[in-house]
Amino acid sequence: MPDSIYKRMIKLMSPFWVYIIISSVSAIIFVLLNSASIWLTATLINNILLDFDKIVQSQMEWSSNDNLTLNEKLKFYTNLIILRETPAESLRVLCVTILSVFFGKNIFLYIKNYLLRIVELSLVRDIRNKLYAHIQSLSLGYFNRQKTGNITSIVINDVEHLQIALGATFQKLFVEPINVITFVSLLFIISWKLALIALIIIPLAGIAVIGIGKSIRRKSRRTQKKVADIMQILSETLSSIRIVKAFANEKNEVSKFSKESKNYFKLLLRRGRLDLLAGPITESFGVVIGVILLWYGGTEVLMQRGLNPEDFIRFILILFSILGPIKQMGNVNLRIQTGYASAERIFSLLDTPKDIIEHSNPVQLKSFNKHIEFKNLSFEYEESEGLVLSNINFKINKGEVVAIVGPSGAGKSTIADLIPRFYDPKDGEILIDQENIKKLSLASLRKNMGIVTQDVILFNDTIKNNIAYAQPKATMESIINACKAANALEFIEEIPEGFEAIIGERGVKLSGGQKQRIAIARALLKNPPILILDEATSSLDTESEKKVQTAIEALLKDRTALIIAHRLSTVQTANKIITIEKGRISEIGTHDELYSNDGLYRKLYDIQFLKT
């Protein structure tokens, strides 16, 4: 699993290889200049502490010796650059050289970081776009099974954690390993004995940091899930705030939120303990290494056993310089583990299969000419224990208005959801003009349909943009005409901002009837040949229902319609009424036919109209 995650991340990074290569070259130059700056700093200290004549004498001896060690060669070429006739002039040249090297290394550090930031932000942008596009392609069934808070958490929080991990990885993992290798090489060049002692102790710190990182990964998974739970509670409460206040349930909601926050706090605290432990462990090992080497190296210098003061100073400076990169690499590991846990959730969402799969060579539904037919259709939801619909057979001819009625839970809305392929049937098929809708392109299928539901979905945008949602390029004249037909123009003109009024999240600034009429105007503007009305008036008061019913009559004119209705007063004029009971068709006929049959339809009708 880890390999596949890393391979997928590398694949996502591949389009940015030019930036990565240039950044890598800049990183190598930075490392070389960084090593040179530490070497020159040691040289500066050495030149201040030692006798100038002795340095010149050593330089002359090295120039005539063909068997110099690598350490002596480096010191020889360094002196060749900076040594001048007088100590003061040599010091000036050395200071200018150190300044130039420091400026140079920081320029290349900036280039490296800037290019990697472009890669990092572009990668995060692409991942977030892929997630959003994939979410849009999933069926309604997926959203019924998943918490919206969990999906939101992945798109926002997990991608953000991945960005932090990528930033830490790019900024540190490109440089610090090269830094460490370069420093270690210099340590071996100066004294292989002291370098060997350091290398024996350093891996112990690495083992401890890796162990901590694995534990952090586990806790990060749980932490991200807990964040999703918190976001779910927040989302549900905000969208249902009217109900919360109506039942005076604020304290319970606060208690529930506080409980999840407390659990999240505990997880963060446990992860924080581990996270904060990595630094002290690395630094403690570093101090142990430094003290041991100071004692051993100092003894070597005092006893004059091959290590001179200049080399010892240089060794100690480089040794303590190496601890910084090692500590940074330890921190990178912790960030990677957190990012890995987020990457698992991100790719898990990206790998979620689509329930509704479009045909490889789909047919374009350019127009609707004959009929819609349900043929031996059965359906069950993934989480349900039995069939919701069983052996459904009926036909809707072009120009007909067909109503489906029945008790709550009978399967009426499911039939409406199957026509635009929000779900696919378990058995049987739905035909439009004798073509199985599974062979039609989803876009062309849904473009031929207008849907108005009981729970109207509007966006936090202007009235104009909500009506023009399916026809963004619609003219203002056509929008106004749609509003007239939907019986909506009167109340829109009474609003000070008119069509430019922002209606709030889910249309909260409008009444139920006004929202329904906006939805009907939206459907009218789309001008589809097939209409699906799912309980479009069931939640309205009598006055609003009359206005909406007038709008619906305008909407139904010269169209083919399927009406899902609870209020039977709205379906009496339908060409055909289908009664559904327990997922099966029990009756089909006109209002008069079904009423005279003395079956379920008559029973429902009499209950509503208080007849016995």
Side-chain angles (χ1 to χ4, degrees):
M1 184 66 177
D3 290 341
S4 65
I5 293 287
Y6 296 137
K7 284 177 182 176
R8 293 179 73 170
M9 289 303 303
I10 290 170
K11 186 177 180 181
L12 287 171
M13 289 164 54
S14 58
F16 312 105
W17 63 270
V18 173
Y19 292 103
I20 293 171
I21 288 175
I22 297 173
S23 180
S24 299
V25 171
S26 300
I28 292 169
I29 295 173
F30 162 76
V31 167
L32 294 175
L33 290 175
N34 189 45
S35 301
S37 68
I38 295 170
W39 186 276
L40 288 171
T41 302
T43 302
L44 175 64
I45 296 170
N46 177 61
N47 286 5
I48 292 172
L49 295 178
L50 296 182
D51 181 34
F52 181 74
D53 293 333
K54 188 176 179 181
I55 296 172
V56 172
Q57 183 182 350
S58 297
Q59 184 73 357
M60 291 176 64
E61 290 174 359
W62 289 334
S63 64
S64 59
N65 189 347
D66 295 329
N67 298 314
L68 296 177
T69 65
L70 191 53
N71 183 31
E72 289 171 337
K73 284 182 180 179
L74 285 174
K75 289 191 286 187
F76 171 74
Y77 287 115
T78 302
N79 287 335
L80 203 62
I81 295 170
I82 62 174
L83 273 183
R84 295 295 183 269
E85 294 181 359
T86 65
E89 192 174 352
S90 298
L91 182 62
R92 181 181 62 81
V93 172
L94 178 57
C95 290
V96 171
T97 304
I98 290 174
L99 192 64
S100 301
V101 169
F102 269 91
F103 269 116
K105 80 168 187 176
N106 282 296
I107 288 171
F108 283 101
L109 177 65
Y110 174 79
I111 294 171
K112 173 193 77 76
N113 289 343
Y114 180 69
L115 293 177
L116 288 180
R117 181 56 62 87
I118 292 175
V119 175
E120 170 198 334
L121 295 177
S122 299
L123 191 58
V124 167
R125 176 202 63 202
D126 291 350
I127 290 173
R128 196 166 266 150
N129 289 344
K130 282 178 181 290
L131 279 170
Y132 190 76
H134 185 67
I135 289 167
Q136 293 291 337
S137 72
L138 297 174
S139 70
L140 287 181
Y142 174 79
F143 299 99
N144 290 339
R145 297 189 300 268
Q146 294 292 326
K147 297 176 180 177
T148 56
N150 184 56
I151 299 171
T152 306
S153 179
I154 291 172
V155 176
I156 303 300
N157 292 321
D158 283 308
V159 173
E160 186 177 334
H161 283 296
L162 186 61
Q163 177 181 346
I164 294 169
L166 289 172
T169 303
F170 287 156
Q171 304 299 343
K172 305 300 178 185
L173 216 56
F174 269 54
V175 176
E176 306 310 350
I178 307 173
N179 245 336
V180 170
I181 291 169
T182 307
F183 287 147
V184 168
S185 301
L186 289 175
L187 291 179
F188 272 97
I189 288 171
I190 296 169
S191 173
W192 66 269
K193 290 181 182 179
L194 293 179
L196 201 59
I197 294 172
L199 286 184
I200 291 171
I201 302 174
I202 288 174
L204 297 175
I207 292 170
V209 169
I210 290 171
I212 291 170
K214 288 180 179 178
S215 181
I216 283 179
R217 182 196 299 180
R218 291 192 299 271
K219 287 179 172 54
S220 293
R221 290 193 193 105
R222 294 198 291 269
T223 301
Q224 294 305 87
K225 289 177 182 176
K226 192 56 65 178
V227 170
D229 291 340
I230 290 174
M231 293 191 74
Q232 179 66 23
I233 291 172
L234 187 62
S235 175
E236 285 183 350
T237 304
L238 293 179
S239 63
S240 310
I241 194 68
R242 182 186 293 271
I243 299 299
V244 173
K245 291 186 175 297
F247 285 89
N249 219 15
E250 293 93 341
K251 288 185 178 179
N252 286 340
E253 292 298 332
V254 170
S255 176
K256 192 188 337 179
F257 188 85
S258 298
K259 183 180 177 181
E260 291 296 334
S261 293
K262 184 179 180 181
N263 292 334
Y264 181 52
F265 165 77
K266 288 179 179 178
L267 274 174
L268 282 180
L269 190 60
R270 284 199 290 268
R271 196 180 81 175
R273 282 202 298 263
L274 291 171
D275 199 345
L276 297 172
L277 198 59
I281 286 176
T282 307
E283 198 160 309
S284 297
F285 275 106
V287 172
V288 170
I289 295 167
V291 170
I292 292 173
L293 293 177
L294 277 172
W295 172 77
Y296 181 79
T299 303
E300 289 275 296
V301 172
L302 292 173
M303 301 297 293
Q304 296 183 349
R305 291 192 298 217
L307 191 67
N308 58 51
E310 177 188 355
D311 287 338
F312 183 60
I313 292 171
R314 185 172 277 115
F315 188 95
I316 294 299
L317 276 176
I318 294 173
L319 176 67
F320 280 100
S321 296
I322 204 174
L323 293 178
I326 290 173
K327 187 175 181 180
Q328 293 289 355
M329 287 171 66
N331 290 336
V332 167
N333 180 54
L334 303 181
R335 298 290 173 266
I336 288 174
Q337 299 311 319
T338 302
Y340 179 86
S342 292
E344 283 182 320
R345 285 163 52 81
I346 289 168
F347 287 122
S348 175
L349 176 52
L350 285 174
D351 292 340
T352 301
K354 301 175 185 178
D355 295 334
I356 307 299
I357 301 173
E358 191 167 67
H359 195 275
S360 57
N361 187 24
V363 176
Q364 299 297 319
L365 182 63
K366 295 180 180 178
S367 61
F368 172 59
N369 301 309
K370 297 178 181 178
H371 55 253
I372 303 168
E373 183 178 4
F374 279 65
K375 200 169 183 180
N376 303 320
L377 184 140
S378 296
F379 175 81
E380 66 177 343
Y381 290 104
E382 188 172 309
E383 66 278 6
S384 67
E385 297 180 355
L387 292 175
V388 178
L389 296 173
S390 179
N391 196 32
I392 300 295
N393 289 276
F394 68 89
K395 187 182 290 187
I396 307 173
N397 295 313
K398 183 179 180 181
E400 278 189 335
V401 175
V402 174
I404 297 180
V405 300
S408 297
K412 303 187 299 295
S413 294
T414 302
I415 290 175
D417 287 341
L418 288 169
I419 298 176
R421 278 196 80 190
F422 292 154
Y423 303 95
D424 276 340
K426 180 183 179 183
D427 296 306
E429 57 186 353
I430 301 173
L431 307 174
I432 293 183
D433 290 347
Q434 298 179 334
E435 188 77 68
N436 191 322
I437 63 171
K438 289 185 178 180
K439 294 182 180 179
L440 301 176
S441 81
L442 284 170
S444 69
L445 172 67
R446 292 169 183 172
K447 281 181 180 178
N448 278 275
M449 297 180 185
I451 301 173
V452 180
T453 63
Q454 174 185 351
D455 184 19
V456 177
I457 304 298
L458 298 177
F459 300 96
N460 186 22
D461 204 340
T462 63
I463 291 175
K464 174 187 172 183
N465 289 342
N466 270 282
I467 295 171
Y469 185 72
Q471 301 283 356
K473 295 182 180 179
T475 63
M476 197 63 215
E477 183 182 359
S478 60
I479 292 173
I480 291 172
N481 288 335
C483 290
K484 285 180 181 177
N487 204 8
L489 187 61
E490 181 181 351
F491 83 79
I492 293 173
E493 289 179 339
E494 289 176 356
I495 300 172
E497 298 87 353
F499 283 93
E500 298 304 319
I502 302 292
I503 60 176
E505 189 175 355
R506 299 177 67 88
V508 70
K509 295 181 181 179
L510 302 178
S511 69
Q514 289 172 338
K515 286 193 285 188
Q516 284 288 12
R517 281 177 277 167
I518 292 293
I520 291 169
R522 182 167 60 189
L524 278 165
L525 185 65
K526 186 179 181 181
N527 195 28
I530 301 169
L531 280 172
I532 299 173
L533 305 180
D534 188 359
E535 306 275 15
T537 64
S538 63
S539 63
L540 303 179
D541 58 67
T542 304
E543 184 179 352
S544 295
E545 183 185 359
K546 287 180 180 178
K547 291 180 180 179
V548 170
Q549 192 61 41
T550 303
I552 288 175
E553 289 171 5
L555 184 62
L556 294 177
K557 189 177 181 181
D558 299 325
R559 299 184 210 279
T560 305
L562 177 69
I563 301 176
I564 310 299
H566 175 69
R567 293 183 179 178
L568 301 186
S569 59
T570 62
V571 302
Q572 293 181 37
T573 59
N575 301 106
K576 188 188 300 178
I577 299 172
I578 301 170
T579 306
I580 300 287
E581 184 175 17
K582 295 180 180 179
R584 293 178 177 271
I585 294 177
S586 62
E587 300 171 294
I588 298 180
T590 63
H591 167 71
D592 292 336
E593 291 169 347
L594 296 183
Y595 191 77
S596 63
N597 283 347
D598 200 21
L600 177 62
Y601 179 82
R602 178 165 183 160
K603 180 182 177 182
L604 294 172
Y605 188 89
D606 287 346
I607 290 172
Q608 284 193 22
F609 291 92
L610 301 178
K611 292 182 180 181
T612 56

